[in-house]
Amino acid sequence: TVVLAMAGPQNLALLGSPRLPAQVATARALLSMMPSVPCATVIALYPADAPRPEWDVCYPEDSAALLLLAHDSAKRENPAQLALVLQARPAWSAERVSQCPKEWGPKLLEEAGRLLGPWAARPAQWQAHMWRHARASSACELAAPLVIDLGAGRRLGLAGELFSLGGGVQAAWE
């Protein structure tokens, strides 16, 4: 039994081999109808004396750039510094998917500063990453993982955020 737990487009790339059994063609056809969207993400670290948000996750409705801000250090007991994760909206991310993170990362930090206060635009350290296949398009998701019987006791499982209602990181973990 082999299980692939990755974004739909990445599964498609692996399932393209002509040596795979014919049963895989149905899964390929299904996956080809499930587009993914990108997500520009910044992880920002602030000094220990930075203001602590009162929320774990914030979904700013008035931001064209940010989909969510996560108070990541809230997961830890007595964190040494404040950690925020800034995730951009799919359309904003798609416009910048081929740009260098050094170009769009400061823009997300500026937007965090607008929403939270000037301190949020000036972290002690930050790192940016573009997740090209961050989540399934909101119009496409499956209710459960796929298991393909390849015969002779062989099975192929396909799992990941595409196969759990709601998408995103929580769905990928589930």
Side-chain angles (χ1 to χ4, degrees):
T1 299
V2 174
V3 176
L4 303 177
M6 58 187 74
Q10 293 168 321
N11 279 322
L12 277 173
L14 286 176
L15 298 178
S17 171
R19 290 184 237 155
L20 291 173
Q23 298 92 315
V24 174
T26 303
R28 278 191 53 76
L30 181 63
L31 290 174
S32 70
M33 296 185 292
M34 304 288 174
S36 65
V37 296
C39 181
T41 302
V42 169
I43 300 170
L45 299 175
Y46 300 87
D49 62 349
R52 298 285 197 245
E54 295 180 11
W55 38 259
D56 288 338
V57 178
C58 172
Y59 297 93
E61 294 179 12
D62 67 336
S63 177
L66 285 170
L67 174 67
L68 73 84
L69 297 98
H71 180 191
D72 198 65
S73 51
K75 299 178 199 173
R76 293 161 189 82
E77 205 173 302
N78 301 318
Q81 52 192 163
L82 171 67
L84 296 180
V85 176
L86 316 174
Q87 291 188 345
R89 294 184 181 278
W92 193 94
S93 300
E95 291 173 3
R96 291 156 182 85
V97 75
S98 61
Q99 292 179 0
C100 175
K102 289 181 181 179
E103 292 179 44
W104 52 260
K107 293 176 182 168
L108 288 182
L109 289 167
E110 285 176 29
E111 182 64 1
R114 183 185 74 80
L115 295 166
L116 304 177
W119 64 269
R122 297 183 306 272
Q125 295 179 333
W126 63 274
Q127 179 180 350
H129 181 75
M130 180 65 73
W131 299 97
R132 293 186 180 279
H133 305 292
R135 59 179 55 93
S137 171
S138 60
C140 303
E141 56 188 20
L142 300 170
L146 293 177
V147 177
I148 304 165
D149 183 355
L150 301 175
R154 298 173 301 150
R155 297 183 301 172
L156 175 63
L158 301 175
E161 60 92 17
L162 177 63
F163 302 94
S164 183
L165 297 176
V169 173
Q170 183 67 26
W173 183 83
E174 289 174 358

